[in-house]
Amino acid sequence: MDLQLNGKVVLISGGGKGIGSGISLSLAREGAIPIILSRSAITEEFKKNIEAITTNYEFIQIDLNETEKIQGIVDDVAKRYGGIYGVVNNAGANDNKALETTSWQEFEKSLHGNLTHYYELVHATVKYLKASKGSILNISSKTALTGQGKTSAYAAAKGAILGLTREWAAALIKDGVRSNAIVVSECWTPLYANWIKTFDDPEARKKVITDKIPFEHRFTTVDEIGDTAVFVLSPKSSHTTGQWIFVDGGYVHLDRALD
Ligand code: NAP
C-alpha cells in the first residue's frame, strides 16, 4: 500500500532514539522527510541506519524544555522545505515524581519537561498543518490510564496528552487536520534498558513484566510502534481522528487471567 507520505515533512521530537527512532526510520522507509528535534546528538548507529534508507532527513539539536526556541525552529523548517505535513510529539521520560515526596514546584517542572513542549510544538506548527491538511501524533503512556503508584507528574502529563489529542482533533476538525495518540505500555528502548538496570535482578524483573504482557509475553518493539505511527499519520488513515491507539500486546485491556 502506498501511504502517500513521499516527500512529506514530519517533525519528530526525540526522534533519534528509542520509540522516536523507530518512527523516524519507518517514516524514512515511506519516503517522508523526518526532521528530528532532540537533545543529544544522534548516535553513529542511528545515522548509519537512517542513511541506509535516505539522506533526506535532518537532525536539529534542541532541549525542548527551552520552549521559547521551538517556534523559530518550526518556522525555519517550514520556510526551507516549503511546508510541514506532520508532528510527532514523542520526547519525554518517566521521572518518578511520587505523591508523598514531590513538591508542587517539582511537579510543575516535570510537567514542563513532559507536556509543555507537546503543546508548543503543535501550537507553533498549526498554521502549516492547516495548509497541508496534515496530521498530529502524540505518544502517551499506559500510566495515564492505569497509574503506576509513584509517578504523579508523569501520569498527569500523559493523561493531559490524551486530553489534548481529543481537543486538537475537535479544534481542527474543519481544517482537515487529524490528531491521534499511540499509547505505549512496555517497549524496549534505551530509557527502558536504563530503568531495568536499577533493579537488583534486572533479568528477573524483565520476566515479571513480560509474563504480564498477554500477546507473546514480550516487549513491544520500536519498529512496531513506528509502523503503526506511519499509517496513523498518513493520508491513508484519512477518517481516523481523536483516537487513542494501543500498541501494547493487549497489556491495558485484556483479561488479567490470561496466561
Ligand atoms: P528514550 O529511549 O529516552 O528516547 C527519548 C528521546 O527523547 C531521547 O533521544 C531523549 O534525549 C529525547 N528527549 C527527552 N526529553 C527531551 C527534551 N526535553 N528535549 C529534547 N529531547 C528530549 O525514551 P523512549 O522509551 O523511546 O520514550 C519515548 C516516549 O514514549 C516518551 O514520551 C515516553 O514517555 C513514552 N513511553 C515509553 C514507554 C516505554 O516502554 N519505553 C512506555 C510508555 C510511554 P536524551 O537522549 O538526551 O535523553
Side-chain angles (χ1 to χ4, degrees):
M1 186 192 294
D2 175 5
L3 295 182
Q4 299 169 5
L5 282 167
N6 199 37
K8 288 189 160 58
V9 173
V10 181
L11 308 176
I12 310 115
S13 72
K17 208 190 250 187
I19 290 167
S21 73
I23 297 172
S24 299
L25 293 172
S26 292
L27 282 166
R29 282 185 207 104
E30 294 303 319
I33 305 171
I35 310 289
I36 297 161
L37 310 183
S38 205
R39 187 168 45 200
S40 310
I42 52 172
T43 61
E44 280 308 312
E45 190 193 351
F46 175 76
K47 200 165 180 291
K48 199 177 95 203
N49 289 340
I50 197 161
E51 289 184 6
I53 306 166
T54 182
T55 51
N56 208 2
Y57 76 100
E58 199 176 324
F59 167 69
I60 299 171
Q61 197 154 20
I62 174 179
D63 182 342
L64 292 153
N65 289 336
E66 297 174 27
T67 319
E68 66 288 350
K69 292 187 178 163
I70 292 175
Q71 183 76 64
I73 288 174
V74 166
D75 290 340
D76 179 56
V77 168
K79 193 167 162 204
R80 286 188 292 111
Y81 289 88
I84 296 173
Y85 170 78
V87 174
V88 180
N89 269 317
N90 161 74
N94 189 344
D95 50 8
N96 293 312
K97 299 293 177 198
L99 175 63
E100 293 187 53
T101 52
T102 302
S103 67
W104 64 263
Q105 290 91 342
E106 287 175 283
F107 177 82
E108 278 195 357
K109 191 168 168 221
S110 172
L111 287 185
H112 188 78
N114 275 310
L115 177 62
T116 307
H117 57 82
Y118 271 54
Y119 175 79
E120 180 57 10
L121 197 52
V122 172
H123 172 71
T125 315
V126 69
K127 69 174 171 188
Y128 305 113
L129 297 177
K130 285 166 80 168
S132 64
K133 295 201 184 304
S135 187
I136 299 162
L137 180 67
N138 294 320
I139 301 300
S140 184
S141 160
K142 71 167 198 291
T143 56
L145 299 153
T146 62
Q148 203 171 52
K150 54 174 183 178
T151 194
S152 283
Y154 180 74
K158 292 302 188 189
I161 286 161
L162 295 182
L164 287 175
T165 301
R166 293 254 154 97
E167 167 60 16
W168 294 339
L172 299 170
I173 202 88
K174 290 197 167 62
D175 299 300
V177 176
R178 295 176 303 105
S179 166
N180 292 290
I182 289 182
V183 183
V184 183
S185 291
E186 309 289 347
C187 179
W188 192 255
T189 65
L191 187 74
Y192 205 103
N194 284 337
W195 174 74
I196 212 96
K197 278 187 216 147
T198 64
F199 291 89
D200 290 341
D201 186 346
E203 286 308 314
R205 186 67 198 170
K206 267 165 85 171
K207 185 161 173 3
V208 168
I209 293 165
T210 51
D211 278 353
K212 290 182 181 146
I213 299 170
F215 196 78
E216 296 179 349
H217 298 296
R218 62 167 176 82
F219 291 102
T220 306
T221 68
V222 298
D223 290 338
E224 288 170 324
I225 309 256
D227 289 343
T228 303
V230 286
F231 177 70
V232 173
L233 279 165
S234 80
K236 278 295 191 188
S237 180
S238 49
H239 217 204
T240 299
T241 193
Q243 299 305 305
W244 306 341
I245 295 150
F246 294 76
V247 184
D248 70 348
Y251 191 97
V252 171
H253 290 98
L254 295 189
D255 191 331
R256 300 286 191 276
L258 286 168
D259 58 20

